[in-house]
Amino acid sequence: MGEVINLRQARKARARAEKEAQAQENRARFGRTGAEKRQDADAAEREARRHDGHRIDEDEDPDGGAA
């Protein structure tokens, strides 16, 4: 005769294994290290500063001379 198993426990164990497999796949697809996130944030900040440096102030005369 075969081994007696608890079907509820087997079902839960299978569900846990499937969730872990999905989590592993998600980590591979979407996971980024903290250093990678900081690097992207630093690059975005540098780009924003560069962009702001090229901004023209509204207070200045667009003709560049006195009115």
Side-chain angles (χ1 to χ4, degrees):
M1 212 188 310
E3 182 180 339
V4 177
I5 61 169
N6 186 326
L7 294 178
R8 179 181 49 84
Q9 289 177 343
R11 190 168 39 248
K12 286 184 176 186
R14 185 177 64 231
R16 278 193 294 272
E18 289 172 1
K19 284 178 96 174
E20 179 57 34
Q22 182 65 43
Q24 182 66 30
E25 182 180 330
N26 287 344
R27 284 192 291 268
R29 289 176 61 195
F30 302 112
R32 294 175 42 200
T33 65
E36 291 172 331
K37 291 176 188 177
R38 281 191 303 275
Q39 183 179 13
D40 287 347
D42 291 344
E45 184 180 341
R46 277 193 308 276
E47 181 63 24
R49 280 196 311 262
R50 187 186 69 78
H51 182 72
D52 287 341
H54 293 288
R55 187 176 303 270
I56 297 174
D57 292 333
E58 294 291 329
D59 297 338
E60 294 180 13
D61 187 7
D63 295 332

